[in-house]
Amino acid sequence: MNTQSNALPESFDSHGIRPASMSTTLPMYWSIRRELWENRSIYIAPLVAAAVFLFGFLINLLSMRRHIGASPLDPAQQHELFATRYELSGALIMGTALIVGIFYSLDALYGERRDRSILFWKSLPVSDLTAVLSKLTIPLVILPVLSFAISLATQFIMLLLSSVILLGSGVNIAALWTEMSFFHVSFVLLYHLLTVHGLWYAPLYGWLLMVSAWAPRAPVIWAFLPPFVVCGMEKIAFNTSHFLALLQERLVGPGGSMAANSQQKDFMATLMPDRFFSVPGLWIGLAITAAFLAAAVRLRRYQGPI
C-alpha cells in the first residue's frame, strides 16, 4: 500500500507561505476599469464627435480646394482659417466630454440602485469610499485625458488631410505644420482640460454624484431644480443674483467675464499656475467637493435598491 497517498498535505504555514495581501490601489484600478466596461459612452461619444467633425472638415477642404484657385489665400487668412478649425475641433470634443461627464455622474450611483446591482457590488471587498472615488475619477481625470488624446489625434489627422488635399493649390503646406504650434497647442489643451474641466468643475461633479446617490427617482430633476429654486428665491426676496453669478463663474471658468469680452489672452493668463492655484474659489470649490463626496459615500452605504 502506498502510504504517501493517505498522508495529509502539509500546511502552507509549515513552508512559511502566507496569502497574498490585496494592494490598496488594486480595488481602485479595477473599479475604474469596471466603469469603463459598463459605460462605453465615456469613449464612444468623443470618438463619434471627432469623426463627425473630421467628415465636415473633409467636405470643407474639398470645397476650399475648388475655390482656392480663383482667390488664393494670403498667409494671414490661411493662419486664421485653419487655426479656427483646430480650435473648433478641440471645443467640440471637450464639450462632448463635458456633457458625457454630467450625465455619467447623474447615473453613476443611481443606476446601480435602479438595476439592484448594488447588492452584488457591495458584496465585493471594495469600500464605499473607493467606489465613489472611482466614479469621480471618470469625469475629473479619465474624460479630460481621453478628450486630450482624441483631440490630439483629430488635429493630427486634420493636418494630414490638409497637406494631401491642398497640395499644389498654392497653400503653403509647410506653414500649416509650423504656424499651428502643434505641440504647444496640445500642451495648453491638456493643461486646460486638467485644470478647468477637472479641478474647477469638481464641485459640479460632486453635487451630481451626491444627488445620484440620494435621488429616489428622476435624478436630473433633483440635480437642476434646487439651484433654479435658490436663484428664484434670492431674486424674489433680495432682488439680487449672487448665487446665479457664482454658478455662471463655475460653469464658464475663472476669468469668464474676460473671455466673454473676447480677451482671449487675458483669459488664458488666468489659467497660469501662479494665478489659477491662488484663486480662493478653486480651494473653496474643492472643499465643497469633499463635503459632497462624504455625503455620497454615506448615502451609498445606507441607501438600498430602488
Side-chain angles (χ1 to χ4, degrees):
M1 171 181 280
N2 187 2
T3 57
Q4 292 182 351
S5 61
N6 296 327
L8 292 175
E10 297 181 4
S11 63
F12 289 113
D13 292 337
S14 63
H15 293 283
I17 300 176
R18 295 290 183 271
S21 59
M22 181 179 294
S23 172
T24 55
T25 59
L26 198 58
M28 174 65 76
Y29 170 76
W30 284 108
S31 296
I32 295 175
R33 289 285 298 270
R34 166 209 162 188
E35 298 302 320
L36 295 175
W37 285 335
E38 292 187 346
N39 302 275
R40 297 183 178 180
S41 61
I42 292 173
Y43 52 88
I44 290 179
L47 285 173
V48 170
V52 171
F53 186 88
L54 284 175
F55 180 72
F57 182 73
L58 177 61
I59 295 176
N60 181 258
L61 278 179
L62 295 175
S63 176
M64 187 188 306
R65 183 69 173 82
R66 290 195 303 267
H67 296 88
I68 205 168
S71 56
L73 299 175
D74 59 46
Q77 291 176 330
Q78 175 180 318
H79 175 77
E80 182 179 358
L81 181 65
F82 287 99
T84 301
R85 281 155 176 76
Y86 290 118
E87 292 174 0
L88 284 176
S89 66
L92 177 63
I93 295 171
M94 287 190 297
T96 303
L98 177 62
I99 295 173
V100 171
I102 290 174
F103 283 96
Y104 164 82
S105 300
L106 276 174
D107 191 66
L109 296 169
Y110 175 79
E112 62 181 14
R113 292 189 295 123
R114 181 188 56 216
D115 60 18
R116 309 181 76 87
S117 63
I118 190 172
L119 299 175
F120 170 74
W121 297 118
K122 282 190 173 184
S123 67
L124 299 179
V126 179
S127 65
D128 295 293
L129 177 61
T130 300
V132 172
L133 288 179
S134 67
K135 296 177 185 299
L136 180 67
T137 303
I138 298 298
L140 253 62
V141 179
I142 302 299
L143 274 171
V145 172
L146 188 64
S147 300
F148 165 72
I150 296 175
S151 299
L152 192 65
T154 302
Q155 292 173 359
F156 185 74
I157 295 174
M158 290 169 64
L159 279 173
L160 291 178
L161 290 175
S162 302
S163 302
V164 172
I165 295 177
L166 299 180
L167 186 64
S169 63
V171 173
N172 190 349
I173 302 300
L176 291 178
W177 291 84
T178 57
E179 293 179 3
M180 291 300 112
S181 301
F182 190 70
F183 294 101
H184 174 71
V185 172
S186 301
F187 176 77
V188 172
L189 176 62
L190 177 61
Y191 179 75
H192 173 82
L193 286 167
L194 292 178
T195 53
V196 177
H197 287 247
L199 297 177
W200 190 258
Y201 288 165
L204 304 178
Y205 295 126
W207 163 256
L208 295 176
L209 285 173
M210 186 187 71
V211 172
S212 180
W214 170 82
R217 290 288 187 279
V220 176
I221 296 178
W222 290 109
F224 295 102
L225 185 60
F228 177 78
V229 172
V230 171
C231 291
M233 290 293 294
E234 181 191 358
K235 187 65 177 179
I236 294 173
F238 305 105
N239 196 28
T240 58
S241 302
H242 299 302
F243 187 73
L244 179 61
L246 288 175
L247 291 179
Q248 289 177 341
E249 182 183 8
R250 185 61 55 175
L251 291 173
V252 175
S257 60
M258 290 184 290
N261 294 328
S262 300
Q263 299 176 359
Q264 186 67 20
K265 293 183 179 179
D266 292 336
F267 173 67
M268 293 304 299
T270 62
L271 300 182
M272 298 301 293
D274 58 337
R275 296 186 60 180
F276 179 77
F277 290 100
S278 63
V279 175
L282 171 65
W283 302 105
I284 294 174
L286 293 178
I288 294 174
T289 303
F292 286 154
L293 291 180
V297 170
R298 185 173 181 85
L299 287 168
R300 187 182 189 272
R301 183 175 301 154
Y302 297 108
Q303 289 280 78
I306 298 175

